[in-house]
Amino acid sequence: MRVEVQSEPFDPATELAGFGAKGDVGAIVTFTGIVRATGGLTGMEIEHYPSMTAKAIEAIASEAVARWGLDDCLVIHRYGVLSPGEQIMMVATASRHRAAAFEAAEFLMDYLKSRAPFWKKETGPDGATWVAAKDEDEDALSRW
Amino acid sequence: MLDVLYFAWVRERIGEPRERIETEAATVAELVDELRGREARYALAFSDLSALRVAIDQELAEFDSPLAGAREVAFFPPMTGG
């Protein structure tokens, strides 16, 4: 398991080198979140709670590993100033079978969205606004 | 002494990211009442608790959570990670 909280950009392909390289791994699922340019968005700033962030993500990732018996799990999440087209974050899960890898990746995404201490502020034609959490993001946790 | 941290629009409304305060508050809710009584900017930041989340010593907590032994309390809007 590896968790990285960083301001620097990352290259998903480089990060995945050697990931899940074990004899009994039969499935690797990866998800990468990108800054959209929708609605004339020109930038995004992500604030976080430095002393809590890695700890909170590690707890979420450990739960995914335990619950789905993952062979490996990777979470990278950026903070700071990002431009459209840049990667915000990625998760990767490795398991024997695909169902566990897919489900664990969805679980990670749902929990990172509402339980990892990040706050997004978008800059667009009308200035900068904090992204509001959606009710459906909170509801998504109940399925787990 | 308690370190109180603010993030995102809570930080912007209060005008600072953190402060160290002396308090007798037994719960988060009591601390919030104390802060609200200080100045208008606090009253504004804490006007709707349903729009706020709280962490005690870097763990998510509730507004009725006790503060005994706490070193750091953080207030912030619902998180928007991922």
Side-chain angles (χ1 to χ4, degrees):
Chain A
M1 187 177 107
R2 183 160 74 92
V3 169
E4 307 283 354
V5 180
Q6 62 187 52
S7 60
E8 303 76 34
F10 61 88
D11 172 38
T14 306
E15 302 294 342
L16 282 171
F19 178 80
K22 277 173 149 186
D24 52 356
V25 168
I28 291 177
V29 166
T30 73
F31 172 88
T32 306
I34 313 279
V35 182
R36 274 185 297 261
T38 316
L41 190 141
T42 53
M44 174 182 277
E45 186 161 1
I46 303 177
E47 182 171 333
H48 78 127
Y49 182 175
S51 58
M52 178 176 172
T53 313
K55 208 159 81 166
I57 298 177
E58 278 159 16
I60 294 166
S62 297
E63 192 181 337
V65 168
R67 209 156 140 188
W68 282 276
L70 299 180
D71 291 285
D72 209 349
C73 177
L74 166 69
V75 180
I76 302 174
H77 204 304
R78 292 178 65 194
Y79 60 87
V81 179
L82 282 70
S83 302
E86 281 192 63
Q87 284 96 0
I88 304 171
M89 52 87 63
M90 73 175 285
V91 302
T93 54
S95 63
R96 287 181 66 121
H97 301 289
R98 69 177 177 189
F102 272 115
E103 268 185 38
E106 286 212 79
F107 166 88
L108 284 167
M109 288 311 307
D110 284 347
Y111 268 82
L112 290 169
K113 207 158 205 37
S114 324
R115 291 291 182 272
F118 292 99
W119 300 276
K120 294 190 183 115
K121 192 179 205 179
E122 292 177 342
T123 307
D126 303 324
T129 48
W130 291 102
V131 174
K134 297 188 191 80
D135 287 342
E136 62 245 45
D137 293 338
E138 192 63 32
D139 294 345
L141 301 185
S142 60
R143 65 177 167 141
W144 307 111
Chain B
M1 294 299 273
L2 188 67
D3 284 315
V4 185
L5 279 63
Y6 311 108
F7 292 97
W9 58 255
V10 184
R11 170 179 56 73
E12 290 179 342
R13 284 186 193 178
I14 287 171
E16 48 201 329
R18 66 188 301 152
E19 59 187 319
R20 177 163 279 198
I21 65 168
E22 207 155 333
T23 178
E24 301 288 313
T27 63
V28 175
E30 283 184 31
L31 174 65
V32 168
D33 281 341
E34 210 176 288
L35 292 168
R36 271 179 180 148
R38 280 180 156 191
E39 283 175 53
R41 57 194 170 111
Y42 290 94
L44 178 67
F46 291 106
S47 58
D48 178 12
L49 291 192
S50 70
L52 289 180
R53 301 290 179 267
V54 60
I56 299 175
D57 292 333
Q58 300 92 39
E59 299 272 356
L60 287 174
E62 304 293 333
F63 283 91
D64 58 4
S65 299
L67 284 179
R71 291 180 181 178
E72 186 173 292
V73 173
F75 294 102
F76 40 79
M79 294 156 271
T80 51

